[in-house]
Amino acid sequence: MTKEIIVNAGELESRVAILENGRLMELHVEREPKIVGNIYKGRVTKVLKGMDAAFVDIGIERNAFLSVSDVVPQTDEEGGNGRIDRRNLPPITQLLKPNQEVLVQVVRAPMGTKGARITTRLSVPGRYVVLMLNSGNYVGVSRKIEDHHERQRLRAIAADMRPAGFSVIVRTEAEGRSDEEIRQDLTFLLDMGKRLEAKAAQSAAPALIHGDLTLIFRLIRDAFTRDVNRLMVDSDGAYENILELVGLIAPRLKNRVFLYEEPTPIFHAYNIEDEVERSLRRKVWLPSGGSIIIDQAEALTAIDVNTGRFVGSQELAETVLTTNLQAVEEVARQLRLRDLGGIIVVDFIDMDNPKHRQQVMKAFEEALGRDRAKIKVHTISPLGLVEMTRKRTGESMTSLLTEPCPYCSGIGRIQNALTMALRIVRELLTAVVQHPQSEAFLVTAHPRVIANMLGYEGQGHEIIEEEVGHPIYLRANETYHPNTYRVERLTLEQAIAAVPHFDEGETVEAQVVNPDPELSLSPIVRAKGIYVVVPDLDAPVGAHVKVCIKDVHTSIAFAEPLAAELRAVRSDGAVIPFEPPALVPEFILPTYLREESAAVPPRGMQLLSPTAEAVPILMSDDDLFAVETSCTTSDEQRRRKNRRKKRQLAVVRETGEEQQEEAAMEDTTEAVTGKVVAEADLVEPGEGEATEEVVKPSRRSRRSRRRRRRPETGVMPSEVTQETEISAEHTPAEPTPEVQRETARPEEALTEPKAPVVEEEKPRSTRRRRRSPRTQPAPAATEETPEAATPEVTTPETPPMAIITPE
């Protein structure tokens, strides 16, 4: 295993990262000198009998906490293991008195509202041993040294050198060291202890007696061991000081210290910055696709293991075992990286097989064995829970680098838009009672909150105004947080003069916003903080369009788009993609949040436009005729209208001629046959009846003609033109008087056919028939064939109709 120490020494902040096999395992940050390890001369301010503790003033912001278990010196029982018999502790009132001066050492930094924790058992750490001042008479050896003979050797060396009244603990780094190296380190610590006692006798409480080393030198003393392959530092001054310190405590490791001189910041070069940002996440992904969720409280940390996206390839038990084994390594890494302490509960996935539980527990203990902090682990429960404790020495990485959200107070959730809308309504109802002189109200809030107050096309807003009894102006502001709003009381004069509003007929430029089905099924734009519903708009979200205001209310408006603007939108280039509104600008978000937002698909509806890209085509004349309004009054638009009218008149003229010819042909057919079919209103103009010789077209030909025929115009698809389509949509069923005058025919041709004679006793036929070409008289002056000019009639669900022929 390769191990590296990366040091980033700065003026305002110093950071030390420990990498194992290229992965970040520990991160230590120091922004101001830490007080853990410092020795103070303090004064007792309070002695609390009910808590068996005392508060001591050591000269910092808050008084330090001293428990009775930290006052009693350790005894030399059971072979000098230094354990405390907590069952037979004397009361705190027998050990300390108010205003008493004591020499204490900080063992835990202040956290939140809690002050620092201190102890009267002073310790001075060295490279190979730790000297305990006034802490009994015993010798301890690190439990990480497993060789029994080595433990006995080190214990004998420490016992031989230990003076009376002092205790000695041999550190892991002393394994394999010579007697001379260990004696030299212990001699240095004894000299330091004598200087501390002399300084404490001359100082008045509260005072700092001994300050521990800074973060960089402290980690070099404790973590720069023989298993470290390289130490890289990016500061010239820190590099010289490190070389000097390493030369004193471990001269053989000087050739492993290097100076980083590249222009790229050292943490960026080693990809440590991204790992630091990921350490702030609540969810941590596992290699297989599973995940662990870390929820940190003040004194308890809960870690939950989930399979996530991992479905496995064999049976369920193997999938669970694989996920738990991967979680074991990641949990141990996160404990070191985030410096989590206190009570920790790990919820592994339930395992029915006892062998699997033992395998996971063994792997977990091995992973925790690489941690330098003191850890106590209990066995795994049948539910998959592992309870453990880890010694806490200071704030965790999350507490050090972050702070609670000012809106959610650290719970990680905010009130939704509907909750805020109802809250504003309740405040309005209260304000009406408390301030009866108010004549109107102006509410400014986040757009999503305003949309919930408006309701579908303003119906909810009308209900609120009825309940309040006063005009309410709702204005959206994207700069507002979803949980913030502002309610202002106004008079009617102030509302008219100060509140932004629209005028009917006004042309405004607005931006298309995300569609909201609860607000309107039609496209929505927003301008001046007001939502505007535009039914005929076809533009992508984010586009800026000009609309003409048609209907204005206090908090919502209705408008129509301008034809020129629609052409510009359709022929424009790229379309702004749909993106959910962010609470903060994108560039403010850290890298890991930007990565998560990019990996998760956006929630919401599709774009208003049916295509993913803008359609680069111009609108047809019929579209222009439908969308142009009174707002388009330019000369060019009037000329365009006149040209369209002329084309429509020409089409109507041709259509009128065809209808008149068909009516004349109908009269001639009645004179020949003498009888007509029943239900004349089922027969379209120009439809004749069959004669004695009936030629039945085949069923396939009738279906094909029926599919090809256009019911709006009665002509074949090959004859349909753009002018014909316009006339079918915008021409009335009967020609206008002006058209009748221009297309006048002989009076007998314009006369409507007589009402047909109905024979009720004869059943009606459901089959469509046509005249035989041999008996049908030729129409006068027509260019179309009877088959093309005469539409077919369908009479569904009618009884068969008999055909009567003349005798």
Side-chain angles (χ1 to χ4, degrees), residues 677-678 682 689 696 762-769 793-803:
V677 295
L682 294 177
E689 291 303 323
K696 296 183 178 180
K762 300 297 182 179
R764 294 174 295 176
S765 175
T766 58
R767 296 181 179 179
R768 296 186 301 274
R769 304 182 183 277
V793 179
T794 303
T795 58
E797 300 180 0
T798 57
M801 181 173 58
I803 301 176

Side-chain angles (χ1 to χ4, degrees), residues 87 95 148 202 225 230 267 271 286 330 370 394 449 523 554 569 576 662 747:
R87 295 172 296 181
L95 301 175
H148 176 71
Q202 300 175 0
T225 58
R230 180 172 58 177
F267 270 34
N271 297 324
L286 301 177
E330 190 60 35
R370 297 188 291 269
V449 179
T554 54
V569 170
I576 300 177
E662 293 171 358
E747 184 175 358

Side-chain angles (χ1 to χ4, degrees), residues 501-623:
H501 63 280
F502 295 133
D503 296 327
E504 293 187 2
E506 179 184 359
T507 301
V508 298
E509 182 176 354
Q511 185 178 14
V512 182
V513 298
N514 296 321
D516 188 350
E518 297 183 359
L519 184 59
S520 177
L521 296 179
S522 302
I524 308 172
V525 300
R526 190 170 63 237
K528 299 181 180 180
I530 305 174
Y531 281 102
V532 183
V533 180
V534 190
D536 299 327
L537 182 65
D538 183 11
V541 175
H544 291 268
V545 296
K546 289 184 179 180
V547 296
C548 181
I549 304 298
K550 290 299 183 181
D551 189 10
V552 180
H553 299 269
T554 54
S555 301
I556 196 171
F558 298 84
E560 295 179 355
L562 302 184
E565 288 296 323
L566 285 183
R567 285 201 305 272
V569 170
R570 287 194 171 197
S571 61
D572 197 2
V575 175
I576 300 177
F578 171 81
E579 292 183 1
L583 298 182
V584 295
E586 184 72 16
F587 64 89
I588 296 181
L589 294 176
T591 305
Y592 74 97
L593 286 181
R594 291 198 295 269
E595 292 176 355
E596 288 186 349
S597 61
V600 179
R603 296 175 297 176
M605 298 181 62
Q606 297 179 354
L607 300 181
L608 292 176
S609 178
T611 57
E613 298 179 355
V615 182
I617 60 173
L618 294 178
M619 299 180 64
S620 59
D621 290 337
D622 54 346
D623 293 333

